[in-house]
Each structure stands twice: as C-alpha cells, then as structure tokens.
C-alpha cells in the first residue's frame, strides 16, 4: 500500500478542495451528484455503499475501494458481509481483480469494524 | 433490443447447457461458483443480486444486466429501488453507461415488478 | 449495423424521455450535466464533440460513437478531421477498437458532411 | 448471433477496404502492424492466434473473438485446446465474459475443426 | 504521486530506449506510429494532444495523463481549457475517474502554463 | 517500480494466506480454480502462462504481469518470445498499455531467463 489511511484521506481532501475551488461549475456539480448518489433514497445509504464497493472493485480502482470500505465500516457492515460482497466482485470481475482484493484485505486492517 | 426476454432466456439456457457438457471441468466449476456467489451467505441473495446488477452496469454487459434485472424482480426489489441502484452505476461509470441504462429501462418493461 | 440512424435517434429519444420522467432526480441531473459538458465553455462545443467521439471510441461504445459522429458533423468537422481523430483513438485503444472504427466508417455514410 | 460467419467476413472485408482506401496513412500502417503481429516471429503464428483469442475474450469483443476463432481453426488448434484457452480467459476476466464465451461456443459451430 | 515530473520523464525515457533497442521491429514501428498520431495532420497537434489527454483519462492511465498534460502545456492550452477537457472525461468516464482527475490536478502544479 | 520482486512475492503470499484463511468458501474455491487454470490440460502449462501474460497486459494489471512474467521465465519461455507476446498485447491493447509494457521490461531485469 502506498500510504496509510490517514495520509490517503488528507491528500484526498486537499485535492478535492482544490478541484471544487477551481471554478468549473460542471465538475463541482458532478462532485455534488456523486455525494448525493450515496445518500438515502429508494435504497438506504448502507446498501448504496456496498454497491459502490462492488462497482469500485470490478472497475479496479484502489482509491475508490479504500473510500467505500471506510464508508461501509461507518454504515455498520460487518467484515463477513464486506467479504461476501468482495466475492461477488471477484466472480464478476475475475482474477484480474485479485490484486485489488488483496489490497482491500490489507486496507481493512485499518478500518474499525472490518478488522480480522 | 436484439431479442425479447423469452428468446434471451432460451438461447442462454441452450448455450449454457452446451458449455457445461463440453467436458471442461474448470469451466463447469466456474459456472457453479458463479451460481453460488448469489446464494444466501453473510449477505442475503436479494442484496447480492443488486450488487450483480450494478457490477454488470458499470462493466457495460447488456446480457448480464438483463439477467440480474430478472433476478432482482424475482427477489422482490421494487422498480424505484432498482432505478436508485442504476443511478449509483451511472454516477460511478459515467455517460458511457447511458446506452446500457436505456436498454435496462426498456428491458424492465418485460419484467414483473419492475414495469413502470 | 443493427439499425439506421433515424431508428437509432427515435429509440434513443423515446428511452431518454422515459428515463427523465421516471422520477429519479439524480439521474435527471446527471443527464443535464452530460448535456452541459458539451456546451461552449473554456473550450468551444466543436472541440468538445471531438473529445466525446475519441472518448467513446477508446471506451468502445457504438451508440456513443454514433451520437458524437452526428454531433461532429453538425459542428462542422470535416470527414478527414474526424478520421484523424479516430486514428488517435485507434492508436490509444489498439486493435480491439477496430470493429468500432469499422462501424464508425459505416455510420458516416448516413451523416451529412462526413460521407466519403 | 447477429449474423452468420459468411456475412461477418463480407462486411468486415468491405469496411476494411473502405478504411484502407480512406487516405489516412497512420490507420493504414496500424492495420499493417496488426496483421504483422500475428505472423511468425520469435513465436509461431499458431501460438499468436491463441494469444489474440484470449486477449479478445478478456476485452470482450465479439467480432475479435470470431476472427481469432476462425484463425485458430485455420492454424490447427483443436476444439479442446481452444476451450482450454477460453477457460483461462474466463478465469482472468470473470463472469462478465460469460456472454462472450457463450457466443464463442455458438460461433464454433460454424468453424471447421472447432465443431462439437 | 509516486514521483515528481523529472523522475517520471527520466524513467520513461530510459525504458523507452531499452524497448526501442530490444530488437522487436513491430514494437519499434508501433512506437513510431504512436508518435506520428499526434503530429499535425488533418487536425493540428494542439487538438490531438487534448484528444490524447481525454482518452487517457477515461481509460484511467496516470502515466498517460501526465504525459499528455505536459504536452498540452507545451502546445499552449490554458489551465481552464485543460480543466474543461477533464470535465468531459469525468462526465463520460464517471466517478471512477475521480482519483485520476485528482492526480491530474496535482500534476498540473509541476507544468508551466497549467499551474493554478 | 514500487517494490522489488522479493517484496512483491512476500506481500502477495502474506495477503493470499490471509484471504484463504478468512473463512469464505467461494473465494477459496475461486483461488483454487485460478491455480488450476494454468495447470496442464488440453494446453500445456507453458502456453497457458503466456496466455495469462497477454491477458494481464491488455487488462493493464501490473501485479498480474509481474506474476506471469515470473511464471513464463520458470516455464522456459525465452526473452524474445515474451517480447513477441507483449507485442501482440500492445497491438491489441494500444498505447494505453505502453506504461505497463515499460514496467514489464523493467521487471524482466529481475527474472532469470528474461534478462536482456
């Protein structure tokens, strides 16, 4: 892993701030829509975070996986449930997702509620 | 849409049968693992089908979307909930998923519980 | 090609209408953002449509390619310029994009300003 | 399947001809490089076609799969060997490749040496 | 970011040299075609670099984004124009591209003409 | 390169062990199927490793490329043959694979039988 979770969150927050203040309204609105997509709607936020985790895993984005693992822990998903979701992603996405699943397991060491 | 739902299911079943009978044990076992991934485990089958739908949408596979829409209807997800999941996929996957979301809306016309 | 350009546009418009009227605000807002992304900003609309065409080609979405070819023709790009953009996409995306480039050439037969 | 093998080959040849005659030297050279990549080199042509088939399957391009299946049959690969290669692709690429594997099995009905 | 721009360029140049001298004619020709794709043709080099940037962003390749950002700066694109192009990529490619857009913003700190 | 080959193998082994011992039977079975896919069958293990390398390269997974390069060296593929396979991947996958091909060349410095 390139960085621990605190460093990841700090860098992510700094760059998001720079992007939101860059003056492009379209990007700002997309960031707002992205946030809203995980807020309670017809589906509860808890389910949506698990959807985000699986989407991030099959699309193989480590930063996105880290973010949604963190949120899944906050929403109260248990380790066994997150692992069961990662299995769906592994079967859909195949062995090419394995390095990302490995890093997801490593990242869970840092997240309350998802530790072994 | 290239075919209606009945034709899709018939062709899918015929070719799956041919693949399972082709004599390759590895493929046969993968098909079994694929089925098992959506059976109740730490997560209920209902949640897993929604995960499968979102994974299929961000990876842009129409046949996979059709299959998981059908299963989501069978598992009791409501139209508004499925649409809320498709919105997560749309935000994660971007406008390149829009043609697949359009075809998902068309396909829902044929699925009990997901019709407008 | 599965359908001619008129059929493509009709089906696309019908399903877009159904999606926009389905009652999901997030999807509606994303469709608006998608439209706005190609409106004049720091870059003119003409350049943005060519960006959309290349993005659609490397991501291998035939419907998206058809749409942006149509818009590129409307914005005044010449056939040779569109082909030069498709070459960038072909080099970036590799031979896996070739079937989509073939269909792009077939589609240009139907688009004013892009015909051979 | 949208078309039989003869129609596929005819349309492919017609559009390739149009592309090669469109006057863009870069595209013409890429098509030549693409052909040369499968000619005997450090690796024999037979092995290269199997590499092309697996690459096409994990990238999920039906037209590319059809083309390489045809060439694999011509190069003398047996049905069981092609299926073993498709299994590698299925494991690497996951269940999202299944619809393409199904269509590969259907396509093999039309290819000498690869029929059941 | 794993490395600063000077280190990136040094490592890239060293490995490109090794690849070009490895004795494989096909690879050497592809590298030449890749260079030529961005030279002035029906489209000017400036437009082509922006196409390369958007293609790299939707395909989520950080090294490719860095390279094309550098070239976009050299070709005279302004920061606001590059950001407008990144917005097209963000809308086409969705939130899965956000970490790459963040790194693009960080990288622009090092590129003359693209700094905030 | 983020890490040398010994560190890569150590971290990979540790995390694979954690995953296999996490108690999810589906994941455990998938890992077994993944291993079996490269064992001798209708195709010899040597050919399968080259298929795995090309699949990993077009799907742009550095860890997967490292693993299959190592296995290709062990199976007796020569440097020129591996480079010829990478050329197929480069043509299929396009310039977006170039950074991964660069890292593959760097990685070969560490692998017996594949050094320049």
């Amino acid at each position: 892993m390139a960085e621990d979770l605190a460093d990841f969150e700090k860098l992510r927050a700094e760059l998001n701030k720079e992007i939101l203040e860059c003056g492009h309204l379209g990007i700002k609105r997309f960031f707002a829509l992205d946030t809203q997509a995980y807020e309670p709607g017809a589906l509860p936020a808890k389910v949506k975070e698990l959807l985000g985790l699986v989407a991030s895993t099959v699309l193989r984005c480590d930063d996105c996986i880290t973010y949604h693992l963190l949120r899944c822990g906050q929403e109260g998903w248990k380790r066994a449930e997150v692992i069961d979701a990662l299995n769906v992603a592994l079967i859909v996405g195949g062995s090419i997702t394995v390095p990302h699943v490995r890093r997801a397991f490593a990242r869970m060491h840092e997240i309350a509620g998802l530790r072994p």
Side-chain angles (χ1 to χ4, degrees), chain A residues 37-82:
Chain A
Y38 299 95
E39 291 172 354
L43 294 170
K46 188 176 176 180
V47 168
K48 290 180 170 191
E49 284 301 333
L50 208 65
L51 298 176
L53 174 65
V54 167
S56 300
T57 306
V58 297
L59 289 175
R60 301 161 45 207
C61 171
D62 288 328
D63 282 9
C64 313
I65 292 170
T66 290
Y67 175 77
H68 287 294
L69 280 176
L70 196 60
R71 290 284 300 115
C72 281
Q74 292 169 346
E75 290 290 336
W77 287 108
K78 303 296 177 217
R79 177 175 168 83
E81 293 165 328
V82 165

Side-chain angles (χ1 to χ4, degrees), chain A residues 90-110:
Chain A
L90 178 64
I91 294 299
V92 173
S95 71
I96 207 77
T97 67
V98 166
H100 304 274
V101 170
R102 272 198 289 268
R103 287 189 283 267
F105 270 80
R107 191 59 91 187
M108 285 194 280
H109 294 187
E110 298 178 87

Side-chain angles (χ1 to χ4, degrees), chain A residues 3 7-22 27 31 63:
Chain A
E3 51 196 355
D7 286 346
F8 166 80
E9 291 190 274
K10 183 166 173 293
L11 185 57
R12 181 177 179 278
E14 281 173 9
L15 287 169
N16 277 1
K17 183 166 181 293
E18 178 177 332
I19 292 174
L20 290 174
E21 292 175 353
C22 82
I27 294 181
F31 272 60
D63 282 9

